[in-house]
Amino acid sequence: QPWFFKVNDNRINVFCNNPNFIKALFYKKINKIDIGIAICHLWLAARHFNQKPEITYEDKEIQNGPEGYYYISSLSLDNEK
């Protein structure tokens, strides 16, 4: 799969692999759609477990992604209770 999740405290940072030039022509848009679906599944699972998820975009703060990946978004979790 093209994604990588990194958990920090109550936040899941989502990264996408950076394909080579040839693969990028075919997969870049599709990878973003796939990652969006994966983030949606995470959001739904968090709601199922009584969390209040929030999707944020903080790419200037996220500098520590794995090599070969770029930042997409973050899913922050807070208890509703």
Side-chain angles (χ1 to χ4, degrees):
Q1 300 299 333
W3 52 76
F4 180 86
F5 301 110
K6 186 172 184 180
V7 178
N8 293 333
D9 297 324
N10 288 342
R11 180 182 297 160
I12 301 171
N13 297 317
V14 182
F15 299 88
C16 180
N17 72 340
N18 208 359
N20 64 36
F21 177 73
I22 294 172
K23 286 184 179 179
L25 293 173
F26 296 105
Y27 295 119
K28 194 156 188 165
K29 279 187 175 180
I30 299 296
N31 284 349
K32 287 183 179 182
I33 292 169
D34 287 346
I35 290 170
I37 292 168
I39 292 169
C40 182
H41 286 148
L42 286 173
W43 187 89
L44 288 170
R47 294 293 301 160
H48 177 76
F49 289 105
N50 298 321
Q51 298 287 313
K52 186 178 177 185
E54 180 181 358
I55 298 172
T56 57
Y57 306 94
E58 307 169 18
D59 68 338
K60 292 182 180 168
E61 294 180 17
I62 310 296
Q63 300 294 329
N64 56 348
E67 187 175 331
Y69 287 78
Y70 61 95
Y71 175 77
I72 297 291
S73 67
S74 297
L75 183 74
S76 300
L77 304 174
D78 291 317
N79 287 330
E80 284 186 347
K81 298 177 183 177

